[in-house]
C-alpha cells in the first residue's frame, strides 16, 4: 500500500516524475523523503539533497532564461 492514499509512489514513470517535480519545487518534500527513508534506508536522504541542490539550480536557471532572455509577447 502506497502512502498518502496512493499518491506517493514510484510505481510508474508519471508518478515518479510527479514526485521528483514535487521535491525540486520543494513543496512538502520532507514527507516524501520520510516515506522513502522508511521504505529503504536513511541513505536515501543523499538522493533528496542532491536532487534539491541540482534540481532547484536547473529549475532557477531555466526560469531565468525564460523570463530574462526571451522577448516579451
Amino acid at each position: 500500500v502506497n502512502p498518502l492514499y496512493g499518491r506517493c509512489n514510484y510505481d510508474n514513470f508519471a508518478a515518479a516524475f510527479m514526485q521528483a517535480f514535487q521535491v525540486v519545487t520543494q513543496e512538502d518534500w520532507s514527507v516524501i523523503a520520510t516515506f522513502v527513508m522508511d521504505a529503504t534506508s536513511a541513505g536515501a536522504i543523499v538522493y533528496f539533497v542532491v536532487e534539491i541542490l541540482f534540481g532547484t539550480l536547473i529549475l532557477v536557471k531555466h526560469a531565468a532564461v525564460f523570463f530574462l532572455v526571451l522577448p516579451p509577447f
Side-chain angles (χ1 to χ4, degrees):
V1 174
N2 292 319
L4 294 176
Y5 305 105
R7 291 183 303 169
C8 183
N9 65 62
Y10 289 88
D11 294 340
N12 56 40
F13 179 77
F17 183 80
M18 186 62 190
Q19 297 306 313
F21 181 75
Q22 187 172 354
V23 171
V24 167
T25 58
Q26 300 178 3
E27 183 65 34
D28 211 14
W29 69 273
S30 60
V31 174
I32 297 171
T34 304
F35 286 138
V36 171
M37 286 189 295
D38 287 344
T40 58
S41 70
I45 195 66
V46 173
Y47 166 75
F48 287 98
V49 169
V50 169
E51 185 177 1
I52 288 172
L53 290 177
F54 289 114
T56 305
L57 180 69
I58 291 170
L59 184 68
V60 168
K61 180 180 173 184
H62 282 49
V65 167
F66 181 75
F67 290 115
L68 299 176
V69 175
L70 294 177
F73 295 106

